[in-house]
Amino acid sequence: MDVKEVLVMSFLLAIVESVRSQGPEKTIAWIEAIASALGEREGPGLEGDPMGGVNVLHICPFFSVVQAFVEEFGEEPEEFKVLIEMRRSLAVSNIFCLFHHRIRAKRAEMAGKKASLHLASDANPAGATVYNDDAIVNAGLGRAEVDEMMKKVACIFKFQ
Amino acid sequence: MNLQEAGKLYQSSLEVIKRNQHANGGFYASPPGTRYPFIYVRDHSIVTLGALRAGLVEESRRALRFILAAQKPTGEFPQRCNVDGMDTSYKELQIDCNGVALYALGKYSELHGYDIAEEFWKNVVDAVTFILRNKNDEIHLVHTINSIHEYPAYEHGFEIYANSACCAGILEAVKMGEHLGKEVGDWARQAELIKQSILRCLYSARRRTFVKAIRIKEKGSKPLGYDPFASVISEPDVAEYAPAYFGLLKDRDLRVINTVRKLDAALWDHELGGLNRYPESWDRNNGGYGPWPHFTCQLARHFIRIGDYDRAEVYLGWVLDIAHDYMFPEHISTIARFEEWVDLFRSSGILRDDKMVMIDGIKDHPKWAEGFAYVVYPLIWPHAEYIMAYKDYEDYFLKSGTRWS
């Protein structure tokens, strides 16, 4: 038994249980509260590789965990899909994007940045790019430029 | 060795260091527009030591204030940060950064006073506390994921550079604390435990050399023998010189002499000269396997300190020879080895985009036409090591007029 894997699975199952018992809004607030606390613990920081005015991640550090979960349980739970759909316009690709984005935003906020925009990502089982069009415009980019970058990266965001 | 050229290279190294210090105090690992335009704590701290040795006091002060302010709330120093001191790390824990930052602060304080140590005392406490939180109390060694080569497959566990740096860093913190009237008795005891464990567990009496690492997956594994990684990496690695580099042992200590003898025999590059960092078979030879000037300088200092003038000449002479326009690359390789590396990484599907930038840099370098791959040019770290080696050479062989051997 890999204890760390058990803890990760527990967290994902806790999300499922929370959506059922507390509802999606409270679950998102709960996930974001945990992420903020972790971001605060890590301290100020600007994540990602700077590239053409935005920052990128070449791989999603959480995706393999999501994939393992989906493989084990057959498919992505409906509870995840509900949460992802609620944040779809923020370019959320998988359940951990909610969590990861909040950690990143908290750390950037501590580093003096006013906003952390999540432009696009494709770290979902289908590998389909999801976009945050408002953020893309706000970052001064177009979908075509984002698509070009997404050929090489898993996630694009911008600190302002 | 051409002494006139060696002196010019020393002067150039001073300029390179000064030119690559941002106004905020951070030393770039490589200049803006090149491969590593960030402040890497390890590189920065060693460059600070070089600046100190060269008498660049104001530069050292700014460097130390910068790096201490970049510490994370957990007490950990990041892998790297931007010029504003914001964490931009992309790799997991490299605990030796805590050690080298404390070590540089201690060396500065010894020479120029304790005002920075006093002002940043909370950072010192947090840095030591963080190290000790990562110490395993069964073996009394510090656990890390990355160390000097940033290569977990080879360094994850109790690694010799990380442990030497952390031990030396805590010992410096003890000295600073004693000077400032702080209670540091427990730190002194903990540092001694680490030191004794380095000498007992990271040294093979049968081989009469230090070993690279005890691979252990979890820092808290107990008993260690049941950890899934439990194994020892005993191949030659330049990091095995770390106990002497950080002053835990004298260079004349037989354990150090034998270790360096092994490194010299196993890692000296017979085609290119210079010292490789570890055997080629461990791979991750970005740009092609080959010798590194900063590691060659480190062992040059060993040969100088034990009075082996001939070997010191060979080592330092090689460093002088490979400098291009009085500047150093990270390492050099041959075109054949470079092509082998490209082929291997490409066919394995692990040739990243940023490596393509590096490949262009190598092929565009003037030395390519002479048959050499100059990888990451210039890198600042080797200039600091050269400054320290040159000053040692000057002190031992030139000023005193002594030729020891």
Side-chain angles (χ1 to χ4, degrees):
Chain A
M1 180 173 68
D2 183 325
V3 175
K4 284 183 180 168
E5 196 180 309
V6 169
L7 290 174
V8 171
M9 290 295 170
S10 304
F11 181 56
L12 291 171
L13 288 173
I15 292 173
V16 172
E17 286 306 314
S18 175
V19 172
R20 287 177 189 164
S21 63
Q22 307 295 314
E25 293 290 353
K26 280 190 176 174
T27 302
I28 286 180
W30 174 68
I31 292 171
E32 290 183 343
I34 295 169
S36 284
L38 286 172
E40 211 160 303
R41 181 183 168 277
E42 274 293 295
L46 301 173
E47 199 182 322
D49 203 356
M51 183 188 278
V54 294
N55 282 27
V56 303
L57 290 182
H58 299 279
I59 57 169
C60 168
F62 293 103
F63 183 58
S64 59
V65 176
V66 174
Q67 210 165 21
F69 186 87
V70 170
E71 276 165 13
E72 186 162 345
F73 292 91
E75 62 171 6
E76 205 170 12
E78 279 305 316
E79 289 81 359
F80 286 6
K81 290 180 187 165
V82 170
L83 301 186
I84 291 168
E85 209 45 56
M86 284 172 70
R87 288 287 187 270
R88 181 67 79 191
S89 62
L90 297 181
V92 168
S93 250
N94 66 57
I95 192 67
F96 274 115
C97 288
L98 284 170
F99 180 74
H100 191 186
H101 179 66
R102 191 64 209 131
I103 295 177
R104 185 165 56 223
K106 183 70 196 175
R107 298 191 68 205
E109 184 189 313
M110 292 168 78
K113 299 292 179 185
K114 287 186 180 144
S116 300
L117 308 173
H118 193 204
L119 276 60
S121 68
D122 67 0
N124 50 60
T129 302
V130 290
Y131 305 90
N132 174 354
D133 285 314
D134 289 345
I136 292 171
V137 172
N138 207 333
L141 295 171
R143 274 232 186 173
E145 290 162 283
V146 168
D147 281 337
E148 195 54 37
M149 280 192 232
M150 286 301 295
K151 286 179 187 169
K152 293 182 174 177
V153 305
C155 177
I156 306 175
F157 44 95
K158 184 176 175 72
F159 300 116
Q160 289 181 324
Chain B
M1 184 169 79
N2 182 323
L3 287 178
Q4 203 176 359
E5 284 297 301
K8 278 188 190 172
L9 184 53
Y10 173 78
Q11 288 303 329
S12 165
S13 293
L14 294 188
E15 291 309 314
V16 168
I17 282 182
K18 285 198 262 186
R19 214 167 40 238
N20 283 286
Q21 184 172 33
H22 186 270
N24 290 347
F27 288 115
Y28 289 109
S30 69
T34 60
R35 186 163 157 77
Y36 305 122
F38 288 93
I39 289 85
Y40 286 69
V41 174
R42 183 183 305 107
D43 297 50
H44 172 94
S45 301
I46 302 296
V47 175
T48 305
L49 289 172
L52 258 181
R53 189 68 193 274
L56 302 176
V57 183
E58 192 44 42
E59 287 81 353
S60 307
R61 285 183 67 82
R62 286 201 287 125
L64 288 166
R65 296 178 68 86
F66 171 85
I67 213 63
L68 288 162
Q71 187 183 32
K72 293 163 74 167
T74 53
E76 177 188 357
F77 280 91
Q79 175 215 6
R80 70 175 193 181
C81 53
N82 68 12
V83 294
D84 297 318
M86 288 305 141
D87 178 15
T88 53
S89 306
Y90 66 100
K91 292 200 173 186
E92 293 180 275
L93 174 66
Q94 342 210 321
I95 205 164
D96 60 298
C97 290
N98 275 47
V100 291
L102 288 171
Y103 185 72
L105 177 63
K107 292 298 171 197
Y108 170 88
S109 303
E110 209 172 291
L111 291 169
H112 303 292
Y114 291 82
D115 60 321
I116 299 179
E118 188 163 27
E119 184 185 344
F120 286 90
W121 184 248
K122 183 181 180 307
N123 301 69
V124 173
V125 172
D126 290 350
V128 173
T129 306
F130 184 83
I131 293 173
L132 295 178
R133 254 202 335 262
N134 284 279
K135 175 174 159 284
N136 178 294
D137 289 331
E138 182 184 343
I139 195 169
H140 294 299
L141 288 172
V142 178
H143 190 266
T144 193
I145 295 177
N146 290 279
S147 186
I148 189 166
H149 305 316
E150 295 193 331
Y151 192 17
Y154 181 59
E155 299 183 314
H156 189 144
F158 305 120
E159 192 272 343
I160 194 161
Y161 184 89
N163 273 276
S164 301
C166 287
C167 181
I170 299 174
L171 288 171
E172 290 299 329
V174 168
K175 281 193 238 167
M176 291 185 273
E178 284 171 347
H179 192 90
L180 295 170
K182 310 286 185 185
E183 172 45 51
V184 288
D186 187 52
W187 291 358
R189 283 187 289 280
Q190 295 293 334
E192 185 57 27
L193 285 171
I194 296 170
K195 181 177 172 181
Q196 290 311 319
S197 282
I198 291 171
L199 301 182
R200 191 178 64 251
C201 306
L202 289 170
Y203 179 77
S204 164
R206 190 175 178 90
R207 294 164 186 260
R208 294 186 307 281
T209 66
F210 284 99
V211 296
K212 165 70 176 169
I214 303 166
R215 292 192 75 226
I216 292 291
K217 186 179 180 192
E218 305 293 345
K219 72 177 172 195
S221 276
K222 205 170 187 176
L224 287 171
Y226 285 91
D227 182 274
F229 283 8
S231 56
V232 178
I233 294 176
S234 57
E235 278 99 330
D237 183 301
V238 288
E240 291 156 25
Y241 176 60
Y245 184 85
F246 287 107
L248 303 179
L249 289 177
K250 299 281 183 206
D251 277 90
R252 284 199 160 276
D253 188 293
L254 264 182
R255 290 165 291 191
V256 176
I257 288 175
N258 272 303
T259 298
V260 173
R261 190 175 292 153
K262 175 189 73 169
L263 298 177
D264 181 36
L267 298 177
W268 184 260
D269 195 304
H270 293 290
E271 186 178 6
L272 289 166
L275 200 70
N276 292 296
R277 57 178 175 173
Y278 48 58
E280 185 172 8
S281 54
W282 272 102
D283 196 38
R284 198 169 170 277
N285 304 312
N286 294 330
Y289 186 67
W292 294 54
H294 61 261
F295 294 128
T296 308
C297 283
Q298 288 180 2
L299 290 205
R301 293 178 76 190
H302 166 78
F303 292 120
I304 293 166
R305 288 170 176 179
I306 65 166
D308 186 343
Y309 179 82
D310 294 337
R311 209 68 196 131
E313 277 281 312
V314 169
Y315 270 61
L316 214 48
W318 177 83
V319 170
L320 184 58
D321 288 344
I322 64 112
H324 175 73
D325 278 347
Y326 301 101
M327 287 191 292
F328 292 120
E330 173 200 81
H331 76 279
I332 68 169
S333 191
T334 66
I335 290 178
R337 294 182 202 176
F338 166 83
E339 298 290 5
E340 271 174 32
W341 167 76
V342 173
D343 176 66
L344 193 61
F345 268 48
R346 184 169 280 146
S347 60
S348 312
I350 57 173
L351 192 63
R352 305 186 321 224
D353 283 352
D354 63 336
K355 297 277 193 295
M356 297 307 292
V357 176
M358 184 179 81
I359 287 169
D360 290 343
I362 292 168
K363 288 184 170 175
D364 288 344
H365 194 279
K367 285 286 182 182
W368 180 258
E370 295 176 24
F372 298 99
Y374 269 50
V375 184
V376 187
Y377 173 88
L379 190 76
I380 313 309
W381 180 348
H383 288 280
E385 298 283 3
Y386 178 76
I387 285 170
M388 294 189 277
Y390 179 82
K391 293 296 267 184
D392 278 0
Y393 183 91
E394 198 177 53
D395 290 348
Y396 279 74
F397 297 133
L398 300 181
K399 282 186 183 163
S400 63
T402 311
R403 182 166 166 150
W404 295 64
S405 53

